[in-house]
Amino acid sequence: MTTAAYLSQCILFKGLKEHEIELLLNQIHYQEKSFKRESLIAQSGDETTAQLILLSGSVRGEMMDFNGKAIKIEDIKAVRMLAPAFLFGKQNHYPVSIIANEESRVLHIPKNDFLKLLGSNELILRNYLDNISSRAQFLSEKIKFLFFQDIKGKLAHYYMTKLRESSSQTIRMESSQEQLAVLFGVSRPALARSIKELREDKIIETHGKEIRILNVQALKALVRE
Amino acid sequence: MTTAAYLSQCILFKGLKEHEIELLLNQIHYQEKSFKRESLIAQSGDETTAQLILLSGSVRGEMMDFNGKAIKIEDIKAVRMLAPAFLFGKQNHYPVSIIANEESRVLHIPKNDFLKLLGSNELILRNYLDNISSRAQFLSEKIKFLFFQDIKGKLAHYYMTKLRESSSQTIRMESSQEQLAVLFGVSRPALARSIKELREDKIIETHGKEIRILNVQALKALVRE
DNA sequence: TAAAAACTGTAACCTAAGTTACAATTTGGT
DNA sequence: ACCAAATTGTAACTTAGGTTACAGTTTTTA
């Protein structure tokens, strides 16, 4: 698969044909890099001198707390830009560390070339604008999630979201409690305790990785908003 | 003072002369609105259908927690755009409630007219790009501040920032403990307790609104980063 | 300048979540 | 199918911060 073929799946190039992307790429410099599973793609605090685009694989963005414990901000699957809102503005540093979840390929476009790209096509510019706005929106939601919800609120929010994607009243957990705790920024035993309490209150029922929602109303009431 | 004169002080129009702004304004529709002290300019969750620019006065952005208790995200002084990153992207809703701190005037540019403005001048577009990127950066810092710092860490961070603006080892607090607690998202007595502990540890000395930093090293060490 | 209002200091008590530890269960590899 | 490793359940105990309450202090306003 060509670079342009990958990029045609990135929202930055939404509305553009593969051959148009090809033409645009010919006018700028860029590199492709491969990263092995668990390797560090960018370190929190590093200067952002280029726009990165994840072409294949998946990565995660993590913030570190004082004790070195990570909390996961998000999982990112190809094809997507990495840290789009951190190339411009005042603080050109990665806000999170970016780590490959699996073998991944990343396109690396130096800032000046990326600027040229934005200037060369109005559609791309508009897509970019949309994208960094969405980033700010995502971060603003993240504040609400991390800071305003207690553990049960986080669980309820998480389950409700999963439930919307499901056709039945059951959810299949694809991540472990440990991983979920990292996403919630809480300790694993505390998460398990909250799950237990939901079980005791007959709000959910767990069978291994399957979770059945028994009382959607009560669950919804736990979300603090 | 004309609208254009105010706008020439807004980073969105950085690099433009007053008469150039005047010309641009002639091509779009806009309104000016006045708000009294403590009145609601926009409610969290409201749809963002226009770009707001604070022309005079000052406002604050607040998130509400579940119990209706506010936490202040930031204070905004004229001249500045309000919620710039929330006009584009997927979630066109105010992330915070915006409340006038004092008598304030706000320019209201409907989304389409604002788009026209962005399209009509490359400098404005670039300024806007910088600005919404800075918003995302601000929010990312806010996550670190609110979620990763304990109360002493927040105090230390706050004092260190104030100290940088001061020529001596003293800080003059212009906000009350109550206001600071709202900014930190903590309760007032808990904040007072932490201040007391800093005093007991001989890290600071307080005399009314004056705070003298006795041990910068120890203070710095309290910031969790 | 006196009374009211706002602000600060502090204490007792409560609660959510962290920490540590370990047993029970599930999963995956050979 | 068996063993090791990972995951989950749970309990005891600690801790940071919330809640409530009230006294002392400073600032505002009449």
Side-chain angles (χ1 to χ4, degrees):
Chain A
M1 216 162 136
T2 66
T3 304
Y6 280 117
L7 289 181
S8 67
Q9 292 174 57
C10 176
I11 23 111
L12 183 63
F13 296 95
K14 195 170 125 185
L16 292 177
K17 304 235 162 51
E18 215 173 297
H19 71 271
E20 296 174 302
I21 298 173
E22 202 98 54
L23 290 174
L24 288 167
L25 282 184
N26 286 336
Q27 293 165 36
I28 60 167
H29 297 100
Y30 59 89
Q31 292 174 258
E32 271 182 52
K33 292 182 187 173
S34 279
F35 293 90
K36 291 210 189 334
R37 185 178 148 72
E38 293 305 312
S39 66
L40 191 65
I41 296 174
Q43 168 106 50
S44 171
D46 279 0
E47 209 184 334
T48 48
T49 57
Q51 179 62 55
L52 305 183
I53 301 176
L54 181 65
L55 295 177
S56 70
S58 77
V59 305
R60 63 181 188 273
E62 284 181 352
M63 283 184 183
M64 284 295 175
D65 81 0
F66 187 57
N67 310 312
K69 203 186 69 183
I71 94 140
K72 181 161 77 179
I73 299 298
E74 59 178 331
D75 266 316
I76 300 173
K77 295 196 178 80
V79 178
R80 247 193 59 186
M81 283 188 280
L82 302 178
F86 292 80
L87 193 54
F88 299 102
K90 296 172 204 137
Q91 287 269 127
N92 304 122
H93 300 274
Y94 286 98
V96 294
S97 291
I98 300 174
I99 298 146
N101 283 332
E102 55 183 301
E103 176 90 27
S104 298
R105 266 184 334 122
V106 172
L107 188 70
H108 180 278
I109 308 175
K111 185 168 175 173
N112 280 334
D113 290 281
F114 190 68
L115 260 171
K116 204 159 133 190
L117 189 64
L118 290 182
S120 67
N121 187 297
E122 188 146 343
L123 210 49
I124 292 183
L125 185 66
R126 178 58 199 267
N127 287 337
Y128 186 67
L129 218 62
D130 267 347
N131 193 244
I132 57 181
S133 295
S134 288
R135 291 312 295 162
Q137 291 155 24
F138 170 83
L139 289 170
S140 151
E141 283 308 305
K142 208 74 196 180
I143 290 176
K144 289 182 185 164
F145 183 79
L146 287 177
F147 194 68
F148 289 106
Q149 306 279 0
D150 58 15
I151 301 187
K152 281 189 194 174
K154 288 173 181 176
L155 269 172
H157 179 100
Y158 184 86
Y159 288 154
M160 292 303 292
T161 308
K162 286 279 174 188
L163 207 54
R164 243 170 271 135
E165 298 160 8
S166 164
S167 49
S168 66
Q169 288 301 94
T170 61
I171 295 161
R172 176 144 196 90
M173 296 300 293
E174 54 252 352
S175 53
S176 68
Q177 279 186 8
E178 176 61 42
Q179 292 170 309
L180 203 58
V182 166
L183 182 66
F184 288 2
V186 302
S187 72
R188 204 272 311 164
L191 178 63
R193 174 166 52 205
S194 288
I195 293 172
K196 183 177 70 148
E197 283 165 15
L198 293 184
R199 218 163 27 219
E200 283 168 355
D201 293 347
K202 303 257 181 282
I203 295 175
I204 63 170
E205 222 174 58
T206 60
H207 303 101
K209 294 276 166 196
E210 292 287 328
I211 292 174
R212 169 172 293 277
I213 309 299
L214 300 177
N215 187 341
V216 186
Q217 286 315 309
L219 192 64
K220 202 179 281 177
L222 289 173
V223 181
R224 268 82 213 303
E225 57 182 20
Chain B
M1 216 162 137
T2 65
T3 304
Y6 280 117
L7 289 182
S8 67
Q9 294 173 58
C10 177
I11 24 112
L12 183 64
F13 296 95
K14 196 170 125 183
L16 291 177
K17 303 234 162 51
E18 214 173 299
H19 70 270
E20 296 174 301
I21 299 173
E22 201 98 54
L23 289 175
L24 289 166
L25 281 183
N26 286 336
Q27 292 164 37
I28 61 168
H29 297 100
Y30 60 88
Q31 291 176 260
E32 272 184 49
K33 291 182 187 175
S34 280
F35 293 89
K36 292 212 188 336
R37 185 177 146 74
E38 294 304 313
S39 66
L40 191 65
I41 297 174
Q43 168 105 51
S44 170
D46 279 359
E47 208 183 335
T48 48
T49 56
Q51 179 62 55
L52 306 183
I53 301 177
L54 181 65
L55 294 178
S56 69
S58 77
V59 304
R60 63 181 187 272
E62 285 181 352
M63 283 184 182
M64 284 295 175
D65 82 359
F66 187 58
N67 309 311
K69 202 186 69 182
I71 94 141
K72 181 161 76 179
I73 298 298
E74 59 178 332
D75 265 317
I76 301 172
K77 295 196 176 79
V79 180
R80 248 193 60 186
M81 283 188 280
L82 302 177
F86 292 80
L87 193 54
F88 299 101
K90 296 172 203 136
Q91 286 269 125
N92 304 121
H93 300 276
Y94 287 98
V96 294
S97 291
I98 300 173
I99 299 147
N101 284 332
E102 54 182 302
E103 177 88 27
S104 297
R105 269 188 327 127
V106 172
L107 187 71
H108 180 279
I109 308 174
K111 185 169 175 171
N112 280 333
D113 290 282
F114 190 69
L115 260 170
K116 205 160 134 188
L117 190 63
L118 290 182
S120 66
N121 186 296
E122 188 145 343
L123 209 50
I124 292 183
L125 185 64
R126 178 57 200 266
N127 287 339
Y128 186 68
L129 216 62
D130 267 347
N131 193 244
I132 57 181
S133 295
S134 288
R135 289 313 294 162
Q137 290 154 25
F138 170 82
L139 290 170
S140 154
E141 283 308 304
K142 209 74 196 177
I143 290 176
K144 288 182 185 163
F145 182 79
L146 287 176
F147 195 67
F148 289 106
Q149 305 279 1
D150 58 16
I151 300 187
K152 283 188 194 175
K154 287 173 181 175
L155 268 172
H157 179 101
Y158 184 85
Y159 288 154
M160 293 301 293
T161 308
K162 286 280 175 186
L163 207 53
R164 244 171 269 135
E165 298 161 7
S166 164
S167 50
S168 66
Q169 289 299 94
T170 61
I171 294 162
R172 178 146 193 88
M173 296 299 293
E174 54 252 352
S175 54
S176 67
Q177 279 186 9
E178 177 60 44
Q179 292 170 308
L180 202 58
V182 166
L183 182 66
F184 288 1
V186 303
S187 73
R188 206 270 312 163
L191 178 62
R193 175 166 51 206
S194 288
I195 293 173
K196 182 177 70 149
E197 284 165 15
L198 293 184
R199 218 163 27 221
E200 284 168 355
D201 294 347
K202 303 259 183 281
I203 295 175
I204 63 170
E205 222 174 58
T206 60
H207 304 101
K209 293 278 166 195
E210 292 288 328
I211 292 174
R212 169 172 293 276
I213 309 299
L214 301 177
N215 188 340
V216 187
Q217 286 316 310
L219 192 65
K220 202 179 280 177
L222 289 172
V223 181
R224 268 82 212 301
E225 57 182 20

